[in-house]
Structures are given as structure tokens and as C-alpha cells.
Amino acid sequence: MPLHKQVAFFLFFNHYNRDIKLKGVSNTIQCMAQECEVRAPEDFVLSHVPKPTLRERYQQFMFKDHVKSHPQLRFCPGPNCQWIFRAWVREGPRRVECHGCELLTCFSCGAPHHAPTDCATIRRWLTKCADDSETANYISAHTKDCPKCQICIEKNGGCNHMQCGACRHDFCWVCLGDWKAHGSEYYECSRYKEDPNLANDSQHAQAREALKKYLHYYERWENHARSLKLEEQTLANLKSRINQKVMAGEGTWIDWQYLWDSAKLLKRCRYTLQYTYPFAYYMEVGPRKELFEYQQAQLEAEIENLSWKVERAETTDRGDLENQMDIAEKRRTTLLKDFLDINVASSSSKV
């Protein structure tokens, strides 16, 4: 920087001292000479900052600005988390998991990880949910009547396979159909059936059908979100039970690790399944959507089987549970492989 510009900068530096303290200005400090666009380098600024606390604050801001402007670096958005992500540049949603707080994040947009839905679509979906959430929440209640004996039932677990405590009827929480009717090959209630005559209907009928379609997907989206919260408690309970068994001398953590792994896998699979519904909502009708819904249905069926067994993990045969874990994970990875490139190299490190 020329000498006359250094003098101009020095004369106005008290103004920038205030900005560093209050606004976090760092790499935007510019020479105050008229029509000069030269920005002050870090070593020059530090040479004019006498206070150690202010120097440290300035360097912190410089570091944060560097991370924010770097195309391969991101701060973990977790509360009070000091970790930084690094990912190789690639288009589309990029999954990164913080090694500190274990938060799953999309590197591209900073939102919670949302594969297979892309960043633009998930923004549209969340905006729509915010606009229409009161209508959807009214219809999607937390309690439902048993379809056989009509007794009121509250959902207190993540599994959608419900059994009435009064009449022992097994049914699906989502569609209220007989659980046996779902079968093992196709989870029918996850698929929305388009009206083939919709284009010929009145505007009022089309609006009603559009709301019906949205509520179909929203209810399933919200149901899996609630199941994830309920399964967090299952995870905590399993961890507590494993600790009790270890303290009682009934094996080591390694012996019971599979219980913990099953609950973690269930959480990962259900999380992916939740985000398949915005993806399906915006897909065009056609063979590709039919393939996606078929794989979505397969995944949902295996997740419900896994959820049922995880909630009864201590009485479930270990081999049976691990076999179900393998099936569910293969369904999940197959769906993502067919509809999203998930092979993204990434790492995280602490600040």
C-alpha cells in the first residue's frame, strides 16, 4: 500500500477500531483515500491494533470470514458447535456429519440433510408446509380411533404397526387399514393415487384434489418426523438398558452393541424415508415416479419391520434383528443410489 494511502488509513483507523468491536469488520477494511479500493492486509491492520484483546478479536473475524468465503468449508450449524466441515465441490445435496455434535447437514445449503430431495425442492416444500401447516396439523391428529372397536388410541412409539389394546386388532397408523393387507411386497398406503380425470374437472375440484394430494404427503412427512422423536427415546432407553446389563455383569458393551446399532440404523433409515415424501410430491407422473414409489414402499415396509423389532429388541432373536437391519439398509442405499449420487467425500475438524 503506498505511503500516502497508509497515512489516510491511519487517520481513520479509530473509526474501524469501533467497527471491529461492534460489527465484526475484518477483511472489508478499505483504504480511506479517495477513490482507493485497496483493502488493508491482515498484517498491516494488526500493526495498528495495540490492544491484545482487539487483535485476537480481529483475527477471529478474519478466520470466520475465510471459512465463510471458502467454497469447500462450512461451519457446523449445531448450537455452540466449534467444528468445521470440508467437502469436495459437487452439485446437489451433500451429506456431512459433524464429528462433534453428530448433526447431519447438507453442505450445499446448510439445512438439515435432505437426500434424496434437492436443495431447491426442500426449500419449496418447507415454505409450503409453513404456509399450510395449520390445515395439515388439524387433519393429522396425534390420536386416532381403532378401525375395529373405535376406541381412541394415542401413538407412543415410532412404529406404524399398531395393535389395539382393547380388541388386539393390528392396523396401520397412517391409513388405518388392516396391517396384514399391506403385505411384504408393497406398502400401498405410501403411494398417492392421481385422479386420471383431474384435467377435466372444475377449478374447485382441482383445488380440492391439490389439497388432498398435499395432505397425503404432509401427513406421512410429519408422521415420520414424530416417529423420529419417539425413537430418540427408544435409543436413550436402549443405552440405559445396556449400561444396566454391563453393570450387572451380563456381558460387555461389545456384546450388546448390536442393540445400539439397530436403533441408530433405524433412525438413519427413517430420516431418509421422511425426506422421500417431498421428493415424491414434486415428481412428474410417469415410469420414474412409479419406480421411486415402489422403492419407497419397499423401504417403508422394511423400516416398519425393523422398528417393531427394535422396540422389542431384548426379546427379539439377534440373528433375526441383524438380518432385518441388513435388509433395511440395503433398501435405503438402493433408493439413494438410483435417485441420488451419495458418494461425496467429506471431513470435519474442530476449530
Side-chain angles (χ1 to χ4, degrees), residues 15-27:
H15 168 72
Y16 281 115
N17 269 339
R18 178 178 176 275
D19 280 353
I20 293 173
K21 292 177 182 177
L22 301 179
K23 301 179 183 178
V25 172
S26 57
N27 60 5

Side-chain angles (χ1 to χ4, degrees), residues 29-94:
I29 297 178
Q30 189 172 320
C31 176
M32 299 300 293
Q34 188 176 6
E35 297 182 359
C36 181
E37 297 181 357
V38 175
R39 292 187 179 183
E42 182 179 357
D43 56 350
F44 178 78
V45 175
L46 290 174
S47 67
H48 291 83
V49 181
K51 294 183 180 180
T53 55
L54 191 57
R55 289 168 63 89
E56 181 180 357
R57 187 170 177 80
Y58 170 77
Q59 289 177 313
Q60 289 175 351
F61 287 133
M62 281 294 294
F63 176 72
K64 289 180 179 179
D65 286 342
H66 172 72
V67 173
K68 291 177 181 178
S69 61
H70 197 289
Q72 295 181 357
L73 300 178
R74 293 285 188 278
F75 283 106
C76 174
N80 303 317
C81 186
Q82 300 296 312
W83 286 70
I84 294 175
F85 302 133
R86 182 184 180 189
W88 281 256
V89 177
R90 190 172 293 185
E91 295 181 357
R94 287 175 281 170

Side-chain angles (χ1 to χ4, degrees), residues 53-196:
T53 55
L54 191 57
R55 289 168 63 89
E56 181 180 357
R57 187 170 177 80
Y58 170 77
Q59 289 177 313
Q60 289 175 351
F61 287 133
M62 281 294 294
F63 176 72
K64 289 180 179 179
D65 286 342
H66 172 72
V67 173
K68 291 177 181 178
S69 61
H70 197 289
Q72 295 181 357
L73 300 178
R74 293 285 188 278
F75 283 106
C76 174
N80 303 317
C81 186
Q82 300 296 312
W83 286 70
I84 294 175
F85 302 133
R86 182 184 180 189
W88 281 256
V89 177
R90 190 172 293 185
E91 295 181 357
R94 287 175 281 170
R95 176 185 181 274
V96 287
E97 181 175 1
C98 180
H99 292 173
C101 65
E102 299 184 351
L103 183 69
L104 285 177
T105 308
C106 173
F107 186 87
S108 298
C109 66
H113 180 56
H114 46 76
T117 309
D118 61 75
C119 301
T121 300
I122 198 63
R123 282 195 295 270
R124 290 173 62 193
W125 172 257
L126 293 176
T127 300
K128 184 172 182 60
C129 289
D131 294 340
D132 298 338
S133 60
E134 290 305 316
T135 301
N137 286 333
Y138 174 79
I139 295 175
S140 179
H142 291 269
T143 60
K144 296 184 180 181
D145 292 341
C146 170
K148 187 174 182 180
C149 69
Q150 309 306 314
I151 192 171
C152 184
I153 296 175
E154 180 180 5
K155 192 171 189 284
N156 59 4
C159 183
N160 288 322
H161 179 181
M162 306 297 292
Q163 186 177 76
C164 178
C167 68
R168 315 304 293 176
H169 176 59
D170 291 282
F171 65 96
C172 172
W173 174 263
V174 177
C175 69
L176 299 180
D178 191 317
W179 185 259
K180 294 179 181 178
H182 282 81
S184 58
E185 294 300 321
Y186 200 77
Y187 200 81
E188 184 66 22
C189 74
S190 66
R191 180 171 178 248
Y192 182 76
K193 301 175 182 63
E194 301 277 356
D195 182 358

Side-chain angles (χ1 to χ4, degrees), residues 287-325:
R288 182 168 172 79
K289 183 173 184 178
E290 291 178 6
L291 174 61
F292 179 81
E293 289 181 328
Y294 176 77
Q295 293 191 12
Q296 179 192 49
Q298 295 282 334
L299 174 61
E300 185 139 17
E302 300 304 342
I303 286 176
E304 294 310 320
N305 289 337
L306 179 60
S307 180
W308 180 268
K309 291 174 181 177
V310 167
E311 290 179 3
R312 298 156 181 78
E314 292 185 65
T315 58
T316 301
D317 178 73
R318 176 173 179 173
D320 188 26
L321 180 59
E322 291 180 335
N323 181 60
Q324 188 60 46
M325 290 167 60

Side-chain angles (χ1 to χ4, degrees), residues 319-337:
D320 188 26
L321 180 59
E322 291 180 335
N323 181 60
Q324 188 60 46
M325 290 167 60
D326 183 60
I327 294 173
E329 178 62 6
K330 284 182 179 177
R331 295 291 189 195
R332 188 184 78 90
T333 54
T334 298
L335 183 146
L336 291 176
K337 182 180 178 181

Side-chain angles (χ1 to χ4, degrees), residues 229-335:
K229 292 179 181 179
L230 292 169
E231 284 162 359
E232 283 287 347
Q233 186 59 47
T234 300
L235 196 64
N237 291 339
L238 272 178
K239 185 175 182 179
S240 177
R241 288 289 298 131
I242 293 173
N243 285 331
Q244 291 176 11
K245 288 177 179 294
V246 172
M247 294 299 292
E250 301 177 24
T252 66
W253 244 99
I254 295 176
D255 298 321
W256 300 105
Q257 182 75 36
Y258 76 97
L259 296 179
W260 177 256
D261 291 342
S262 67
K264 294 281 283 186
L265 176 65
L266 173 61
K267 178 181 177 181
R268 183 163 66 248
C269 288
R270 193 178 292 283
Y271 189 92
T272 298
L273 181 60
Q274 180 190 0
Y275 281 91
T276 63
Y277 283 99
F279 188 85
Y281 176 76
Y282 288 106
M283 285 186 82
E284 295 289 337
V285 176
R288 182 168 172 79
K289 183 173 184 178
E290 291 178 6
L291 174 61
F292 179 81
E293 289 181 328
Y294 176 77
Q295 293 191 12
Q296 179 192 49
Q298 295 282 334
L299 174 61
E300 185 139 17
E302 300 304 342
I303 286 176
E304 294 310 320
N305 289 337
L306 179 60
S307 180
W308 180 268
K309 291 174 181 177
V310 167
E311 290 179 3
R312 298 156 181 78
E314 292 185 65
T315 58
T316 301
D317 178 73
R318 176 173 179 173
D320 188 26
L321 180 59
E322 291 180 335
N323 181 60
Q324 188 60 46
M325 290 167 60
D326 183 60
I327 294 173
E329 178 62 6
K330 284 182 179 177
R331 295 291 189 195
R332 188 184 78 90
T333 54
T334 298
L335 183 146

Side-chain angles (χ1 to χ4, degrees), residues 5-15 32 44 47-48:
K5 295 181 179 180
Q6 293 186 31
V7 172
F9 177 84
F10 181 77
L11 290 175
F12 288 92
F13 194 73
N14 284 337
H15 168 72
M32 299 300 293
F44 178 78
S47 67
H48 291 83

